[in-house]
């Protein structure tokens, strides 16, 4: 044991934001340090999840399929009237639902991660970034499974594909960043108050309704304004367009929302770090 | 010299305080307040108490050098765990500064992150990475962790099939193999069977030789004295005493004896204040003490000599079938019950008439070996409990040599001629 190599830590009551350089350095260090832990935790969670499930990966396929079946039948019997979509309607619904699910998973991920890691957080001082990263990894894993469905779908419905599909994953990352931004922002509060997870559950249903998942982008009425100002709209629509037609209609919105999401994520990361000790203090006092 | 001292210092805690709030709603709200001021960088006036807050720790200072083993004693709620949590960086102090050099392994965290569905092997990887080890380091230590936990056969079985002892062993083995510079041990040595405990103690001693510093929290004075060279004594968040382990533990035990019973000197006479009528159950213990067979009050009973444990009580009506229970524990040592006697078990239900009564447990030859004891004494009628004295402390002395005897054996020696 060499004293020079030992890490020295100082704990004081002073707000850490007063020494931003140190704060950024620690954030960078913890991010690097949490890679491996995040990987281990992700493996642990995925394994545990599938070992306790009979249907296993089917759960990734079922929601989009049910959604598509429901809305296609409703559309055929004219219960609801959806406009013309650029690709066959069932494929449209399934593909969009898969994207929407990925967004919601990345939003819920940080909140769930922090809540379920409560006992661990209260006892061990490990880089807190790890649990968020591990959830992100899970979101990625789940999306990879959904990719199988999407591939099958595109082949079955003979959906025309544009070369821009190779850019779609980049846009997808932007969508995940937006979800993570909101999730990390709410996570510390979510540990203290159960209202947060309840509220998120309720609002996400409403939010789905405002997002062009089961219908194409509306062009008139108050509803169209709501849908237009929904930050998920430009991201989701752009991914869909990149993967199919290759003609982009929401470029400006896409970049504005992306900028907000990335900047927001950086800021909420700082907030998350600063808030966690106070949250932990309250959960296990 | 001074420089060397500085260099060997692994933990330095200076004037550290921490406040908590007992009301949950308010506590959560204060949490939000603190987060807000932390983010905007406003001083959060942490040195002042807000309404309904109290100091869980107040101006505590101490230092810990390489290879030191520090015992932390104090009653429940004295702030021991809070102190450990501040040192491990889980929560921010409200005043003061803490300097920590080296990796801290909290043994408060036994089995942190264990997932019952997964196998022992998978859990070792998850748990040890949470404690800060890389994959390679875990690979390297894996076999010795399994060896230490003695779960060779069960390593591929889900942890939920483990017995509580097995998972505790696994947790301990994981924590101890991360070879930290500082080990925080919180009451965990009380898990597992005696054989495993011994193994843990040996392992701790080995780590100590290598220079690992310890902080050990325990209610068991015996294990503190066994492992620690220094100790600090916390009482309601205040540092009462720090120094040599033995002196601190003595002070703590003395205080314990003092705090219970109104005039509980080392003399074994306990007089209780009269209960106000709304607290009384109709049958109250008023005092406890020993008498010899002549009826004189005994301050310290002697091993092997007659000792009558007397429980004086005040009854406001007639009671029948009263059951008196006496459970005696040794204070030093493993804190195990050494005697548990009830009048009920001895088929001796007592009748008590209104007024004062003295119940005597007559021991014609006291079997307890010399030492300090605490007795829990209750009066019951069936399942109904009238009064309980949680701790009546007394010292047993001896007039003969009993150093290797666990209890007093009444005996005679004789020679009998056979032919």
């Amino acid at each position: 044991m060499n004293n020079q190599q030992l890490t020295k830590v100082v704990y004081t009551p002073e707000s850490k934001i007063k020494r931003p350089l140190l704060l950024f350095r620690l954030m960078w260090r913890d991010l690097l340090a949490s890679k491996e832990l995040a990987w281990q935790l992700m493996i642990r969670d995925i394994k545990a999840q599938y070992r306790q499930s009979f249907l296993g990966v089917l759960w990734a396929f079922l929601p989009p399929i049910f959604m598509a079946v429901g809305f296609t039948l409703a559309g055929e019997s004219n219960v609801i009237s959806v406009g013309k979509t650029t690709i066959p309607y069932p494929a449209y619904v399934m593909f969009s639902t898969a994207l929407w699910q990925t967004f919601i998973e990345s939003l819920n991920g940080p909140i769930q991660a922090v809540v379920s890691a409560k006992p661990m957080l209260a006892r061990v001082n490990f880089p807190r970034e790890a649990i968020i990263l591990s959830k992100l990894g899970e979101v990625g894993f789940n999306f990879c499974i959904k990719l199988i469905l999407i591939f099958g779908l595109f082949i079955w419905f003979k959906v025309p594909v544009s070369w821009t599909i190779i850019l779609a994953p980049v846009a997808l990352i932007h969508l995940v960043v937006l979800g993570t931004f909101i999730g990390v922002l709410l996570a510390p509060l979510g540990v203290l108050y159960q209202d947060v997870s309840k509220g998120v559950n309720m609002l996400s249903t409403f939010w789905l309704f405002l997002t062009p998942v089961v219908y194409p982008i509306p062009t008139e009425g108050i509803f169209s304004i709501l849908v237009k100002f929904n930050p998920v709209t430009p991201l989701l629509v752009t991914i869909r367009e990149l993967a199919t037609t290759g003609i982009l209609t929401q470029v400006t919105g896409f970049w504005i929302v992306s900028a907000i999401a990335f900047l927001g994520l950086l800021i909420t990361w700082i907030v998350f770090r600063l808030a966690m000790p106070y949250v932990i203090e309250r959960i296990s006092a | 010299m001074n420089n060397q001292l500085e260099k060997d210092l692994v933990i330095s805690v200076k004037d550290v305080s921490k406040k908590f709030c007992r009301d949950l709603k308010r506590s959560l709200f204060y949490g939000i307040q603190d987060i807000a001021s932390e983010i905007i960088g406003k001083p959060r006036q942490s040195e002042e108490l807000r309404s309904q807050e109290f100091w869980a720790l107040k101006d505590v200072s101490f230092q810990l050098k390489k290879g030191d083993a520090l015992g932390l004693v104090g009653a429940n709620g004295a702030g021991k765990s809070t102190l450990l949590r501040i040192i491990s960086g889980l929560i921010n102090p409200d005043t003061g500064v803490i300097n920590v050099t080296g990796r801290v392994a909290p043994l408060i965290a036994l089995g942190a992150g264990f997932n019952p569905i997964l196998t022992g092997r998978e859990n070792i990887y998850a748990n040890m990475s949470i404690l800060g080890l890389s994959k390679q380091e875990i690979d390297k230590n894996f076999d010795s962790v399994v060896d230490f936990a003695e779960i060779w056969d069960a390593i591929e079985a889900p942890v939920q099939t483990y017995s509580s002892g097995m998972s505790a062993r696994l947790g301990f083995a994981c924590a101890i193999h991360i070879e930290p510079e500082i080990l925080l041990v919180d009451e965990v040595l009380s898990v597992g069977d005696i054989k495993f405990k011994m193994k843990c103690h040996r392992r701790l001693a080995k780590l100590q030789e290598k220079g690992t510093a310890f902080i050990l929290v325990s209610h068991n004075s015996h294990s503190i004295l066994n492992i620690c060279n220094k100790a600090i004594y916390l009482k309601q968040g205040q540092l009462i005493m720090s120094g040599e382990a033995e002196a601190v533990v003595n002070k703590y035990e003395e205080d314990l004896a003092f705090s219970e019973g109104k005039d509980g000197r080392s003399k074994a006479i306990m007089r209780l204040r009269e209960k106000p009528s709304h607290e009384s159950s109709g049958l109250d213990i008023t005092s406890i003490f020993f008498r010899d067979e002549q009826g004189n009050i005994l301050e310290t009973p002697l091993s092997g000599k007659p000792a009558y444990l007397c429980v004086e009580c005040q009854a406001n009506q007639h009671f029948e079938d009263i059951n008196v229970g006496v459970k005696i524990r040794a204070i030093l040592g493993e804190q195990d019950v050494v005697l548990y006697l009830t009048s009920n078990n001895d088929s001796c239900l007592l009748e008590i008439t209104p007024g004062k009564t003295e119940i005597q447990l007559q021991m014609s030859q006291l079997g307890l070996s010399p030492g300090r004891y605490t007795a829990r004494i209750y009066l019951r009628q069936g399942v109904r409990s009238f009064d309980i004295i949680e701790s009546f402390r007394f010292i047993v002395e001896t007039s003969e040599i009993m150093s290797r005897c666990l209890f007093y054996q009444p005996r005679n020696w004789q020679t009998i001629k056979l032919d």
Side-chain angles (χ1 to χ4, degrees):
Chain A
M1 279 195 282
N2 189 338
N3 257 0
Q4 264 76 53
Q5 292 166 355
L6 294 178
T7 48
K8 279 185 198 274
V9 201
V10 184
Y11 302 112
T12 62
E14 204 193 9
S15 169
K16 284 170 203 68
I17 204 145
K18 291 205 167 151
R19 303 180 61 189
L21 281 179
L22 180 72
L23 180 68
F24 285 128
R25 217 177 59 222
L26 289 177
M27 281 165 72
W28 182 244
R29 188 200 69 189
D30 281 355
L31 189 66
L32 292 183
S34 56
K35 269 185 316 189
E36 199 165 329
L37 174 57
W39 180 255
Q40 291 286 348
L41 291 178
M42 185 187 89
I43 299 211
R44 180 195 71 170
D45 289 345
I46 291 176
K47 271 184 180 165
Q49 194 183 321
Y50 283 108
R51 220 165 273 180
Q52 256 189 318
S53 159
F54 180 67
L55 292 177
V57 289
L58 270 185
W59 284 114
F61 299 158
L62 293 178
I65 293 175
F66 274 87
M67 197 86 144
V69 170
F71 278 95
T72 310
L73 290 179
E76 272 171 8
S77 58
N78 290 323
V79 177
I80 52 163
S81 78
V82 283
K84 183 97 180 72
T85 49
T86 46
I87 57 175
Y89 186 63
Y92 183 91
V93 173
M94 269 192 255
F95 184 40
S96 311
T97 308
L99 294 179
W100 171 257
Q101 265 191 315
T102 304
F103 168 73
I104 285 296
E105 274 173 28
S106 55
L107 192 158
N108 274 326
I111 305 171
Q112 279 169 3
V114 175
V115 171
S116 66
K118 253 189 198 179
M120 224 164 80
L121 288 168
R123 288 162 169 174
V124 191
N125 192 2
F126 60 92
R128 273 69 171 98
E129 285 79 7
I131 47 172
I132 309 283
L133 282 182
S134 111
K135 272 289 170 197
L136 277 178
E138 248 182 89
V139 171
F141 177 83
N142 288 341
F143 186 77
C144 287
I145 293 174
K146 290 195 189 90
L147 265 186
I148 303 171
L149 175 79
I150 293 168
F151 266 125
L153 201 69
F154 274 42
I155 293 167
W156 178 265
F157 286 99
K158 301 197 180 70
V159 178
V161 175
S162 153
W163 66 271
T164 47
I165 195 164
I166 50 170
L167 293 176
V170 182
L172 181 70
I173 289 174
H174 291 212
L175 183 66
V176 171
V177 167
L178 178 68
T180 313
F181 154 50
I182 302 168
V184 174
L185 184 67
L186 294 176
L189 270 179
V191 182
L192 294 182
Y193 294 103
Q194 290 187 350
D195 311 48
V196 174
S197 3
K198 283 186 183 150
V200 166
N201 267 338
M202 196 191 73
L203 284 177
S204 58
T205 320
F206 182 62
W207 201 345
L208 166 65
F209 184 63
L210 289 186
T211 312
V213 169
V214 296
Y215 53 82
I217 306 172
T219 44
E220 45 198 62
I222 302 171
F223 188 64
S224 76
I225 297 169
L226 283 175
V227 172
K228 200 177 151 200
F229 282 101
N230 173 0
V232 183
T233 306
L235 297 184
L236 196 129
V237 169
T238 303
I239 300 169
R240 203 165 49 206
E241 288 168 347
L242 281 173
T244 56
T245 56
I247 303 158
L248 304 183
T249 55
Q250 306 250 345
V251 182
T252 323
F254 176 81
W255 286 113
I256 291 172
V257 174
S258 299
I260 293 173
F262 277 91
L263 197 67
L265 182 60
L266 183 69
I267 292 167
T268 47
W269 181 16
I270 297 171
V271 171
F272 177 76
R273 272 191 76 99
L274 296 178
M276 278 322 273
Y278 294 98
V279 170
I280 288 162
E281 169 183 331
R282 300 295 161 181
I283 52 177
S284 50
Chain B
M1 175 65 205
N2 218 346
N3 210 347
Q4 182 64 30
L5 227 95
E6 244 347 54
K7 214 177 135 197
D8 277 349
L9 220 54
V10 286
I11 294 180
S12 124
V13 171
K14 198 159 183 326
D15 297 329
V16 165
S17 310
K18 184 77 208 169
K19 55 191 181 177
F20 281 135
C21 175
R22 283 214 174 85
D23 183 73
L24 181 67
K25 267 241 155 90
R26 198 174 277 262
S27 164
L28 295 182
F29 175 70
Y30 284 155
I32 303 283
Q33 245 182 12
D34 287 346
I35 293 172
S37 34
E38 172 88 14
I39 290 166
I40 56 174
K42 196 182 92 180
R44 58 190 166 95
Q45 262 129 34
S46 53
E47 59 291 330
E48 273 161 43
L49 290 182
R50 289 167 285 194
S51 142
Q52 291 195 26
E53 280 188 324
F54 66 97
W55 291 110
L57 271 185
K58 184 81 181 128
D59 301 329
V60 172
S61 307
F62 69 90
Q63 294 186 325
L64 195 68
K65 291 201 301 285
K66 225 162 136 178
D68 262 351
L70 179 85
L72 212 52
V73 294
N76 290 331
K80 302 181 302 268
S81 301
T82 308
L83 187 56
L84 289 195
R85 296 178 69 209
I86 293 177
I87 292 171
S88 50
L90 290 169
I91 58 182
N92 288 339
D94 280 329
T95 70
V97 185
I98 299 105
N99 278 285
V100 179
T101 312
R103 177 144 64 177
V104 180
L107 275 198
I108 9 175
L110 280 195
F114 272 8
N115 186 323
I117 308 297
L118 299 180
T119 67
R121 176 188 297 277
E122 288 159 339
N123 270 310
I124 289 177
Y125 277 91
N127 185 243
M128 289 181 86
S129 8
I130 291 167
L131 293 174
L133 249 62
S134 67
K135 175 95 167 28
Q136 292 95 318
E137 287 172 296
I138 304 173
D139 285 337
K140 208 177 71 198
N141 280 313
F142 186 83
D143 289 331
S144 89
V145 170
V146 179
D147 270 347
F148 192 88
E150 299 171 17
I151 47 163
W152 307 281
D153 307 330
I155 193 67
E156 304 298 346
V159 165
Q160 62 182 354
T161 64
Y162 286 18
S163 70
S164 58
M166 280 161 83
S167 46
R169 290 209 300 267
L170 185 59
F172 190 87
C174 288
I176 218 157
H177 277 86
I178 61 173
E179 307 218 333
E181 281 77 40
I182 303 151
L183 196 58
L184 308 179
V185 188
D186 191 355
E187 288 286 355
V188 286
L189 294 178
S190 49
V191 297
D193 53 21
I194 189 81
K195 200 175 122 235
F196 187 70
K197 266 190 222 170
M198 303 268 287
K199 198 163 154 185
C200 294
H201 278 272
R202 277 202 302 277
R203 178 82 195 189
L204 290 182
K206 223 166 115 190
L207 284 175
Q208 195 176 5
E209 269 170 34
K210 280 199 206 158
T212 305
F214 290 88
I215 299 183
L216 177 80
V217 173
S218 181
H219 290 295
N220 186 343
S221 320
H222 191 65
S223 59
I224 296 248
L225 289 176
N226 255 347
I227 300 173
C228 304
N229 52 347
K230 290 179 12 185
I232 60 178
Y233 168 25
L234 291 177
K235 189 178 179 182
Q236 287 164 359
Q238 311 265 356
L239 182 75
I240 301 288
M241 189 181 171
S242 70
E244 292 303 308
E246 190 138 350
V248 175
V249 168
N250 277 344
K251 165 84 178 151
Y252 168 60
E253 297 210 315
E254 231 176 80
D255 271 18
L256 268 185
F258 246 108
S259 60
E260 293 142 4
K262 232 181 159 190
D263 51 352
R265 288 166 295 263
S266 59
K267 284 187 215 165
I269 300 168
M270 188 174 188
R271 282 183 219 292
L272 296 133
R273 71 190 160 84
E274 206 170 305
K275 283 189 187 169
S277 56
H278 64 273
E279 279 179 29
S280 167
S281 58
L283 179 60
D284 302 321
I285 297 176
T286 51
S287 58
I288 303 173
F289 50 89
F290 283 100
R291 285 187 200 279
D292 62 14
E293 57 191 335
Q294 278 84 40
N296 303 317
I297 289 187
L298 261 182
E299 288 180 357
T300 48
L302 294 173
S303 286
K305 297 283 181 284
Y308 295 177
L309 176 64
C310 306
V311 179
E312 201 180 271
C313 46
Q314 172 77 40
N316 62 7
Q317 63 185 89
H318 186 96
F319 291 102
E320 274 180 357
D321 299 340
I322 292 295
N323 174 23
V324 186
V326 179
K327 191 189 258 181
I328 298 176
R329 291 168 184 271
I331 291 174
L332 284 175
E334 288 295 291
Q335 284 238 358
D336 285 332
V337 177
V338 289
L339 266 185
Y340 184 30
L341 305 171
T342 68
S343 60
N344 196 5
N345 279 347
D346 298 337
S347 318
C348 197
L349 291 168
L350 309 166
E351 187 181 340
I352 287 174
T353 50
K356 271 190 184 303
T357 309
E358 184 175 303
I359 305 167
Q360 289 192 343
L361 167 62
Q362 301 186 334
M363 296 173 280
S364 57
Q365 284 183 300
L366 183 64
L368 298 174
S369 61
R372 290 159 167 255
Y373 295 92
T374 168
R376 183 175 188 270
I377 296 166
Y378 62 77
L379 293 180
R380 282 189 197 156
Q381 185 181 49
V383 290
R384 181 176 168 203
S385 184
F386 289 103
D387 205 354
I388 298 177
I389 303 302
E390 284 297 339
S391 174
F392 165 62
R393 292 178 162 246
F394 59 93
I395 298 172
V396 173
E397 288 180 344
T398 178
S399 52
E400 43 190 299
I401 296 164
M402 273 191 67
S403 62
R404 298 186 69 100
C405 301
L406 278 181
F407 58 91
Y408 180 85
Q409 170 62 54
R411 64 214 180 252
N412 288 309
W413 301 95
Q414 209 173 357
T415 53
I416 295 165
K417 204 150 173 61
L418 294 173
D419 52 291

